[in-house]
Amino acid sequence: MPEGDTIHKVAAVMNETLAGETVKHCIVRGRAPRTDANLTVDGVDAHGKHLFVNFDDGRALRSHLGMHGSWHRYPPGAAWRKPRRLAAIELHTDPWEFVCFNAKEVEWLRQGSFRHRDLLAFLGPDVVVEAPPIDRVLKRVRGLLPGDAPAVDVLLDQRVAAGIGNVYKSEVLFIHRVHPATMLESMSDALLGELFEESNRLLRRNLGGGPRVTRDDGAANKWVYGRKGKPCAGCGGPIRMERMGKHLRVTYFCPRCQGSQQGRRHA
Ligand SMILES: [Zn+2]
């Protein structure tokens, strides 16, 4: 599942390969299909979970992978691992083909346009690239979300801070022993600051290659995510999985270690 760190890694690889290069064929499918020839890439960057391919004609191609999207890179002529009809974006250059499958959103923007700027203003500070400016993040948290919002929704809200996905949500809450249903109004500014700083630390740590690692003791890559029923590193009890929050996203936690009733939403 793509999180902010994945998108930043993809953007870095694409930028290294594509900046200054000519895309011979750029094919976009979906709601506004379009094919262009011979576009020069200015650079590729990411903000939160959005990836922008910026062309030197002033346009930017924005994509968001959602839950099921992925970027692939192939040598020209190589067989693709997914069918072409699922390709939302194809970028054909001499050395490589970059293909985005199953994107949730794809759109052309004019760089620096109101739409482009609105989108970046809408997204909170990108916690993958920068240490979170805590004052700004807290202002967004308290201003945008109701007091009874559960902790899972606080961390996933891309308007508050961009880049945190479902894996880090569970991991960060476990590390700080916060029950995922804890209500925002019962969380102090200091605690919220720690959660966003932890997210930043974990996301940055995973910008290199290799599997995503959030755990320090070497016993496994993750503390709770994907470990339903396995023993908790803190207490040995079974890790639980529940669908939680506004979008009912899977959430892993230890009911014992994160079990404080204080401020819990009563479902
Ligand atoms: Zn535990």
Side-chain angles (χ1 to χ4, degrees):
M1 186 173 306
E3 308 224 2
D5 58 345
T6 314
I7 305 306
H8 281 265
K9 277 189 271 192
V10 170
V13 169
M14 287 179 75
N15 189 54
E16 209 167 284
T17 315
L18 291 178
E21 294 292 326
T22 300
V23 174
K24 290 185 153 173
H25 300 284
C26 170
I27 300 165
V28 174
R29 293 193 183 82
R31 265 182 287 180
R34 182 185 168 118
T35 300
D36 289 274
N38 298 321
L39 297 175
T40 303
V41 176
D42 201 38
V44 181
D45 54 31
H47 190 102
K49 294 192 259 182
H50 299 257
L51 185 131
F52 297 89
V53 182
N54 302 300
F55 294 97
D56 76 348
D57 65 359
R59 288 183 301 152
L61 182 56
R62 176 183 75 86
S63 56
H64 188 295
L65 297 177
M67 300 268 283
H68 307 292
S70 55
W71 277 96
H72 295 191
R73 183 176 66 167
Y74 300 103
W80 294 358
R81 294 198 305 275
K82 287 177 190 278
R84 176 163 244 135
R85 66 186 159 77
L86 299 180
I89 301 173
E90 299 177 26
L91 302 172
H92 298 267
T93 68
D94 274 335
W96 295 105
E97 295 171 348
F98 286 91
V99 190
C100 178
F101 292 101
N102 296 110
K104 185 177 111 186
E105 296 166 14
V106 175
E107 85 175 312
W108 281 103
L109 296 166
R110 191 137 287 277
Q111 289 164 32
S113 64
F114 283 121
R115 167 93 184 117
H116 192 192
R117 294 207 304 258
D118 276 358
L119 185 76
L120 295 181
F122 170 82
L123 293 169
D126 186 331
V127 291
V128 184
V129 288
E130 55 178 335
I134 295 299
D135 288 352
R136 251 171 77 206
V137 171
L138 288 176
K139 226 168 130 182
R140 283 177 174 250
V141 172
R142 304 279 186 209
L144 290 166
L145 291 167
D148 66 353
V152 285
D153 286 350
V154 172
L155 290 180
L156 287 183
D157 196 317
Q158 302 295 303
R159 300 170 302 169
V160 168
I164 304 171
N166 213 33
V167 175
Y168 292 102
K169 169 198 82 179
S170 291
E171 294 294 289
V172 166
L173 292 174
F174 174 80
I175 290 168
H176 289 270
R177 302 296 192 263
V178 175
H179 191 284
T182 306
M183 287 193 286
L184 172 59
E185 65 195 15
S186 71
M187 298 167 76
S188 68
D189 285 358
L191 173 61
L192 287 165
E194 281 172 26
L195 296 178
F196 285 102
E197 273 162 11
E198 191 73 52
S199 304
N200 170 251
R201 192 180 70 76
L202 294 180
L203 282 157
R204 292 193 67 83
R205 170 178 172 176
N206 285 288
L207 281 175
R212 191 178 278 145
V213 176
T214 54
R215 185 163 172 173
D216 295 319
D217 67 357
N221 287 338
K222 297 182 191 68
W223 296 106
V224 288
Y225 188 87
R227 296 176 55 76
K228 180 184 175 187
K230 292 192 174 151
C232 163
C235 69
I239 290 164
R240 185 181 295 177
M241 186 201 80
E242 280 181 30
R243 294 186 175 274
M244 299 177 73
K246 202 165 54 176
H247 301 290
L248 297 176
R249 305 289 303 276
V250 293
T251 304
Y252 296 85
F253 64 105
C254 173
R256 266 195 256 173
C257 293
Q258 297 163 258
S260 161
Q261 289 294 323
Q262 192 193 4
R264 184 96 58 86
R265 178 200 277 273
H266 298 287

